[in-house]
Amino acid sequence: MELSNKPYLTTRSINPENQETPIKFLKTETIPTTYFFRRNHFQYPTILNDNFFLPITGQVKMPIVFQYSQIVQMETTAIKCFLECAGNKRSKFNPPVFGEQWEEGAISQGEWKGISLSCLLEITGIAADAREVVFVGYDYGKQEDIEHHIPFARSLPLEKAIHPDTIIAYEYNGRPLTYKHGFPFRLIVPGWYGMASVKWLKKIILIDDTFKGPFQTDDYVYYPKLSDPYPVTMVNVNSLIQKPLDYEIIDEGVTLIEGIAWSGESEVTNVDISFNGQQWVDAILIGETLDKTNRWTKWKFHWNAPKGEHTIYCRASDSKGRKQPLEPMWNKKGYGYNAITKIRVKVK
Amino acid sequence: MELSNKPYLTTRSINPENQETPIKFLKTETIPTTYFFRRNHFQYPTILNDNFFLPITGQVKMPIVFQYSQIVQMETTAIKCFLECAGNKRSKFNPPVFGEQWEEGAISQGEWKGISLSCLLEITGIAADAREVVFVGYDYGKQEDIEHHIPFARSLPLEKAIHPDTIIAYEYNGRPLTYKHGFPFRLIVPGWYGMASVKWLKKIILIDDTFKGPFQTDDYVYYPKLSDPYPVTMVNVNSLIQKPLDYEIIDEGVTLIEGIAWSGESEVTNVDISFNGQQWVDAILIGETLDKTNRWTKWKFHWNAPKGEHTIYCRASDSKGRKQPLEPMWNKKGYGYNAITKIRVKVK
């Protein structure tokens, strides 16, 4: 008999559930839903009949409660993109940052199908005063320094909200969203960190102001050491090495180094490899001719590994001219880590 | 609808399969077989009809091939004990050590049922010259600097081999062993690191010499910085904190700190907690009246947590008078890490 070995999600916490994708062991373009990373602020919400109604109110010309059956019959948009948690790689900050100690697996990629939010807003109309769109989820609970329970809620500037790729998704990889990933409706905001892609959408409200919810003004804010706080939005250019593994012992001779690289609202143009952090050599990008905006790019590099202990550095660049920096931008809450990727191997 | 959240094994590698138990999230006395850590040197062996025959040869009075059906009808011994991989906590060594980067979950505990090896050796008889007993597994593959394929094989000194708790197990937690954990026969050596508990037993050979296999003379040897190499055998006194988690943010006020402690060929007599590494206070041991030899002990401590950042230290002591040391004994291959357990928390 043959046994097949499979990786598992890496557990960070159970209640609320936070688990990483075993990304180093998955080489597929789209991640099956069972392997999609899980990041929750609260307990899972209970799904009731109400969840199949989606009201759009506030600064609109005509408030409308859309029904699930209506939405799935409208024009569809399918977007293949990654979602990455803003805290991905938090465990790598030095000095360390408190909070969920994500390693490199709070990222996944797949195809979402839904309707562009702009299509729904064409129906409701947008009032002249509208500045932001607030998305409220069904998940709720206790948040620091706030007496009563609050829902998870986030806003987008109107401009990003009406981007044709900003969708109300109801399918993932060709199947209805699973409960754990936002069924029945999940906002998908390609190119922004995952906190923007609100799960279990309860209502959408257009406002003429700036949204002040705690997940917008307290959490998901960069507090750097030397400059003013500013909000977490677009995903930084980043990469990971899937093979070899950190501290792996490998054989002398030609070996394949491989991994992925990604960047928000952009595409990866280059991945450089170095063995001393000084001289850099191009890795080969796989599938270069495709549109890679908001998708990760697979890369590989053939290395003639000499005996000894080595550090392998990997640095991605994107079409906006950004590069992974040598040092991460340390910030109090530990968001957006994207320093040059680095592993150590011993060659025998 | 309610969703239940469960932890998963933490994947270290796929081929061969090495996965950790999500031990921080499991509070049960016996770990279900699906959560038992998996540590393999080679691919899983193929199970054939031959596997149900167990020859005992070499320095015996009468070599015998035992059959599965015979063995399961003989007198049974049930042993509840932990098994810990010698490389558990390897990722904590500083300077770092190459090889599988186990965190704290290469340990599990459960009840094995089988027959004492001494019962089988009573039937074969032991020749006067016998010094060691060699256990050969069905798993095999390439090993560094060795041309041909070799099986996984280990020996025990005769004295340990005939200890009544050293058993040929065929059940785990009341069910036949699973394929991944050694079906049909696995040697269980309570109190020694897991490499001694050879899976998929193929044959047992008594020898009048010292066994020189590479898993005995190359791997599973301590190579300290300042002293001579010596073999990895008995499990060191050790502990882990299951709650709170490292770098967790917790609320001010009374909080429960909890975990487990263990020691090989011994039992845990004390667990001390400290918040500065200087003053120590006793934790409460749970189930103290039971025989805890080769079993882990659960412990807890109620802490009135003041606001701020804190380090929590945990130190276990055993009935042989051993204590977890402040510094681990660094060794080249990274075995037996058991420095005082330490986590950091932020109290709000």
Side-chain angles (χ1 to χ4, degrees):
Chain A
M1 74 157 268
E2 283 289 328
L3 291 167
S4 73
N5 308 337
K6 59 177 191 170
Y8 295 93
L9 292 170
T10 301
T11 310
R12 295 280 155 234
S13 68
I14 294 290
N15 282 312
E17 185 174 17
N18 286 309
Q19 307 220 43
E20 301 196 22
T21 298
I23 192 76
K24 280 178 279 197
F25 305 102
L26 298 176
K27 307 288 166 72
T28 52
E29 257 304 276
T30 55
I31 299 295
T33 194
T34 51
Y35 279 132
F36 204 96
F37 77 95
R38 301 175 190 167
R39 198 283 176 254
N40 292 284
H41 297 81
F42 301 122
Q43 302 277 80
Y44 286 106
T46 304
I47 303 300
L48 303 168
N49 285 339
D50 282 355
N51 295 51
F52 296 91
F53 295 89
L54 185 61
I56 302 187
T57 61
Q59 301 296 315
V60 289
K61 293 188 176 144
M62 180 175 60
I64 297 181
V65 178
F66 291 96
Q67 295 173 41
Y68 187 83
S69 55
Q70 286 179 296
I71 288 180
V72 298
Q73 283 170 49
M74 293 177 175
E75 190 190 340
T76 62
T77 300
I79 303 283
K80 192 190 279 182
C81 69
F82 63 79
L83 285 189
E84 183 187 12
C85 175
N88 194 22
K89 301 193 180 185
R90 179 178 290 136
S91 62
K92 294 174 183 289
F93 278 107
N94 188 12
V97 172
F98 287 85
E100 219 67 69
Q101 296 298 297
W102 299 105
E103 294 184 0
E104 303 181 306
I107 183 168
S108 299
Q109 177 168 283
E111 187 172 78
W112 277 271
K113 196 171 93 178
I115 181 166
S116 289
L117 177 59
S118 62
C119 293
L120 298 179
L121 292 178
E122 261 175 41
I123 302 172
T124 61
I126 299 173
D129 288 345
R131 285 177 55 191
E132 289 194 356
V133 182
V134 179
F135 302 89
V136 181
Y138 272 101
D139 49 334
Y140 66 91
K142 217 25 216 94
Q143 184 72 355
E144 190 191 355
D145 301 330
I146 301 177
E147 271 303 306
H148 49 95
H149 281 185
I150 55 152
F152 185 75
R154 292 268 318 170
S155 78
L156 289 176
L158 191 58
E159 186 192 358
K160 183 74 180 173
I162 62 171
H163 188 290
D165 287 353
T166 298
I167 65 170
I168 309 296
Y170 46 78
E171 283 190 10
Y172 179 73
N173 288 352
R175 304 289 300 269
L177 290 183
T178 54
Y179 285 100
K180 291 203 171 184
H181 294 288
F183 179 82
F185 296 123
R186 176 176 194 171
L187 179 68
I188 296 294
V189 185
W192 280 36
Y193 280 113
M195 75 283 150
S197 293
V198 177
K199 299 193 281 280
W200 309 289
L201 275 179
K202 182 178 184 176
K203 53 188 174 187
I204 295 175
I205 309 155
L206 279 69
I207 60 173
D208 58 6
D209 196 358
T210 308
F211 182 59
K212 301 283 196 314
F215 296 104
Q216 192 110 357
T217 52
D218 184 14
D219 283 345
Y220 300 114
V221 173
Y222 290 112
Y223 297 93
K225 272 179 187 155
L226 300 171
S227 56
D228 286 339
Y230 62 99
V232 173
T233 56
M234 201 172 56
V235 172
N236 291 331
V237 60
N238 216 330
S239 66
L240 71 85
I241 300 173
Q242 294 174 297
K243 184 175 167 292
L245 300 171
D246 201 13
Y247 289 106
E248 190 169 338
I249 300 167
I250 62 173
D251 288 330
E252 191 181 11
V254 176
T255 191
L256 185 67
I257 305 175
E258 59 182 350
I260 57 175
W262 62 94
S263 191
E265 300 189 346
S266 185
E267 55 182 69
V268 169
T269 49
N270 218 61
V271 173
D272 305 314
I273 301 296
S274 174
F275 298 93
N276 57 15
Q278 310 282 325
Q279 282 89 34
W280 296 88
V281 195
D282 284 355
I284 297 164
L285 304 189
I286 298 162
E288 266 184 287
T289 53
L290 301 171
D291 170 19
K292 290 286 192 179
T293 306
N294 297 323
R295 298 186 193 181
W296 64 47
T297 295
K298 291 161 75 100
W299 58 265
K300 63 180 180 179
F301 184 88
H302 290 95
W303 179 39
N304 196 351
K307 279 193 179 168
E309 293 181 11
H310 305 276
T311 301
I312 305 173
Y313 300 82
C314 162
R315 181 181 65 186
S317 313
D318 73 12
S319 53
K320 291 194 166 160
R322 296 172 296 190
K323 258 189 205 328
Q324 288 182 260
L326 190 58
E327 292 296 330
M329 187 198 65
W330 191 94
N331 61 100
K332 199 178 68 181
K333 296 214 168 191
Y335 298 123
Y337 185 103
N338 78 326
I340 289 171
T341 306
K342 204 161 84 170
I343 64 164
R344 284 123 298 189
V345 296
K346 184 184 210 164
V347 180
K348 292 186 316 186
Chain B
M1 76 156 264
E2 284 288 326
L3 291 166
S4 72
N5 310 337
K6 57 175 192 172
Y8 294 94
L9 293 170
T10 302
T11 310
R12 295 280 154 231
S13 68
I14 294 290
N15 282 311
E17 184 175 18
N18 286 308
Q19 307 219 43
E20 300 196 21
T21 298
I23 191 77
K24 281 178 279 198
F25 305 102
L26 298 176
K27 308 285 166 75
T28 50
E29 262 292 285
T30 55
I31 299 295
T33 194
T34 51
Y35 279 132
F36 204 96
F37 77 95
R38 302 175 188 167
R39 197 282 176 258
N40 292 284
H41 297 80
F42 302 121
Q43 303 278 79
Y44 286 106
T46 304
I47 304 299
L48 303 168
N49 285 339
D50 281 355
N51 295 48
F52 297 91
F53 296 89
L54 185 60
I56 302 187
T57 60
Q59 301 297 314
V60 289
K61 293 189 175 144
M62 180 175 60
I64 297 181
V65 178
F66 291 97
Q67 295 176 41
Y68 188 81
S69 55
Q70 286 179 297
I71 286 179
V72 298
Q73 284 171 47
M74 292 176 178
E75 189 191 342
T76 62
T77 300
I79 303 283
K80 192 191 277 181
C81 68
F82 63 80
L83 285 189
E84 183 186 13
C85 173
N88 195 23
K89 302 193 181 185
R90 179 179 288 136
S91 61
K92 295 175 182 287
F93 278 105
N94 189 11
V97 172
F98 288 85
E100 219 66 67
Q101 296 297 297
W102 299 106
E103 294 183 1
E104 302 180 308
I107 183 169
S108 298
Q109 177 169 284
E111 187 173 77
W112 278 272
K113 197 170 95 178
I115 181 166
S116 289
L117 176 60
S118 62
C119 292
L120 298 178
L121 293 178
E122 259 174 44
I123 302 172
T124 63
I126 300 172
D129 288 346
R131 284 177 54 191
E132 289 192 358
V133 182
V134 179
F135 302 89
V136 181
Y138 271 100
D139 50 332
Y140 65 92
K142 235 348 236 108
Q143 184 72 354
E144 189 191 357
D145 303 328
I146 301 178
E147 271 303 307
H148 49 95
H149 282 185
I150 55 151
F152 185 75
R154 291 270 316 175
S155 78
L156 289 177
L158 191 58
E159 185 191 357
K160 183 74 179 171
I162 62 172
H163 188 289
D165 288 353
T166 298
I167 64 171
I168 308 297
Y170 46 78
E171 283 190 9
Y172 179 72
N173 288 353
R175 306 287 300 268
L177 290 182
T178 54
Y179 286 101
K180 290 202 170 183
H181 293 288
F183 179 82
F185 296 122
R186 175 176 195 172
L187 180 68
I188 296 294
V189 185
W192 280 38
Y193 281 112
M195 75 283 151
S197 294
V198 177
K199 297 192 281 282
W200 309 289
L201 274 179
K202 183 178 185 179
K203 54 189 172 185
I204 296 174
I205 309 152
L206 280 70
I207 61 174
D208 58 5
D209 197 359
T210 308
F211 182 59
K212 299 285 196 314
F215 297 103
Q216 192 109 359
T217 52
D218 184 13
D219 284 345
Y220 300 114
V221 172
Y222 290 112
Y223 296 93
K225 273 180 186 155
L226 300 171
S227 56
D228 286 339
Y230 62 99
V232 173
T233 57
M234 200 171 56
V235 172
N236 291 331
V237 61
N238 216 329
S239 65
L240 71 84
I241 299 174
Q242 293 174 299
K243 183 176 168 291
L245 299 171
D246 202 13
Y247 289 107
E248 189 169 340
I249 301 169
I250 60 172
D251 289 328
E252 192 182 11
V254 175
T255 191
L256 185 68
I257 306 174
E258 59 182 350
I260 56 174
W262 64 93
S263 189
E265 301 190 346
S266 186
E267 57 182 66
V268 169
T269 49
N270 219 60
V271 172
D272 304 316
I273 301 296
S274 175
F275 298 93
N276 58 13
Q278 309 283 325
Q279 281 88 31
W280 297 87
V281 195
D282 284 356
I284 296 165
L285 304 189
I286 298 163
E288 266 185 286
T289 52
L290 300 171
D291 171 19
K292 291 285 192 180
T293 306
N294 298 322
R295 297 187 193 179
W296 64 47
T297 295
K298 292 162 74 99
W299 57 264
K300 64 179 181 181
F301 184 87
H302 289 95
W303 180 39
N304 196 352
K307 279 194 179 169
E309 293 182 11
H310 305 276
T311 302
I312 305 174
Y313 301 82
C314 161
R315 182 181 65 186
S317 313
D318 73 11
S319 52
K320 290 194 167 162
R322 296 172 297 190
K323 258 187 203 335
Q324 288 182 260
L326 191 59
E327 292 296 331
M329 187 198 66
W330 191 93
N331 61 100
K332 199 178 69 184
K333 296 212 167 192
Y335 298 121
Y337 186 101
N338 77 327
I340 288 172
T341 306
K342 204 160 84 171
I343 63 164
R344 283 123 300 188
V345 295
K346 185 185 210 162
V347 180
K348 293 188 316 189

